[in-house]
Amino acid sequence: MSQHNNADKQHGAAYRWRVASRVLAAALGGYAVTSLATALLARGLRALEGSSQAGAVLGATLFGFTLYTALVIWVFSTRSATRAWAGMALSALVLGLWLLALRMAA
């Protein structure tokens, strides 16, 4: 009987760690990706649309709320926490490099 309870505790701990990893991926990774995308979009709206800086930032920020929500949903719908972390890291890398390239070009 004690072996059965021990296996349940180990399985429960592993499950909790996987959920905690997804929560961190959604919170930290989602924040990083959203902030990079918001900054990039604000720069793009300002350049393409010719709108005021405040209007571009406001529009990008409103989009950011939607993006963050979608990223949180995506993290919890992926097959594994590893895939969620990899998706966040790759997205942040691409957006960060793109934003850096735009800053260096200006």
Side-chain angles (χ1 to χ4, degrees), residues 9-99:
K9 287 180 184 178
Q10 288 176 349
H11 177 69
Y15 175 76
R16 284 191 293 275
W17 279 112
R18 287 193 305 269
V19 171
S21 180
R22 286 179 190 257
V23 168
L24 286 173
L28 301 177
Y31 178 79
V33 170
T34 300
S35 63
L36 289 167
T38 300
L40 190 61
L41 183 60
R43 289 178 73 87
L45 287 175
R46 179 77 169 114
L48 293 176
E49 199 175 281
S51 65
S52 68
Q53 185 173 355
V57 169
L58 179 63
T61 302
L62 289 174
F63 171 75
F65 290 123
T66 304
L67 177 62
Y68 187 74
T69 303
L71 288 172
V72 169
I73 292 169
W74 176 78
V75 164
F76 284 97
S77 67
T78 58
R79 285 188 189 194
S80 68
T82 304
R83 187 175 289 199
W85 277 106
M88 290 295 180
L90 182 62
S91 298
L93 178 67
V94 168
L95 291 169
L97 290 174
W98 194 359
L99 189 60

